Amino acid sequence: MFLKKLIKLTWITVFSIIFLVLFLLIVSTAIMFIQNPDQIGVTFPDRAISDAARLTRRMESEIHGECTAKGSFFEKQVVCEMTRTKERKVTDTILLEYDVIMDAIVNFNYTRENLE
């Protein structure tokens, strides 16, 4: 009788912990969506063009480039090489590196070289 109650209590504890972890995962995901809406569901190179324009303080129409992604769907590294052109002359080169997990940016690095 005592052993039966102990087994039942053990199973209740295990499932309680599993449900608690799942609940915390859902809550943390919801908080991430609320706090960082501009970093979730990003598309490349649109996001890279927007970031490069913001970094150079220029218009998005002046920025051109391409992106390459390495990794899986869940975790990947995206590298974008962008250039700013003015009157058919390259004036800036910007290298943008993103670490993306499940379509959410978790890390962002950039290198900018001004050629003017």
Side-chain angles (χ1 to χ4, degrees):
M1 187 74 176
F2 176 73
L3 187 62
K4 219 176 194 182
K5 286 185 179 185
L6 183 63
I7 292 172
K8 185 177 180 180
L9 181 65
T10 304
W11 280 112
I12 290 173
T13 305
V14 167
F15 282 112
S16 297
I17 291 171
I18 290 171
F19 285 120
L20 180 66
V21 169
L22 288 174
F23 175 75
L24 291 176
L25 182 65
I26 291 169
V27 168
S28 66
T29 304
I31 289 172
M32 184 178 75
F33 273 100
I34 291 168
Q35 289 181 342
N36 303 312
D38 62 332
Q39 296 183 350
I40 297 166
V42 296
T43 58
F44 295 98
D46 298 336
R47 173 60 190 245
I49 291 171
S50 173
D51 286 341
R54 182 178 45 83
L55 291 169
T56 59
R57 294 185 179 94
R58 302 291 185 225
M59 294 186 338
E60 290 183 13
S61 61
E62 298 176 350
I63 308 293
H64 304 284
E66 58 185 36
C67 299
T68 57
K70 294 180 182 176
S72 67
F73 172 76
F74 297 106
E75 183 176 0
K76 61 186 164 188
Q77 183 178 22
V78 179
V79 177
C80 300
E81 296 177 14
M82 298 286 140
T83 56
R84 176 181 167 252
T85 56
K86 184 178 180 183
E87 298 171 1
R88 297 184 184 169
K89 180 181 176 187
V90 175
T91 58
D92 291 290
T93 59
I94 305 109
L95 177 68
L96 304 164
E97 298 175 358
Y98 300 90
D99 290 329
V100 180
I101 295 178
M102 300 270 305
D103 283 343
I105 297 172
V106 294
N107 192 16
F108 170 69
N109 295 314
Y110 70 93
T111 304
R112 178 183 175 206
E113 183 179 353
N114 191 341
L115 304 175
E116 286 184 303

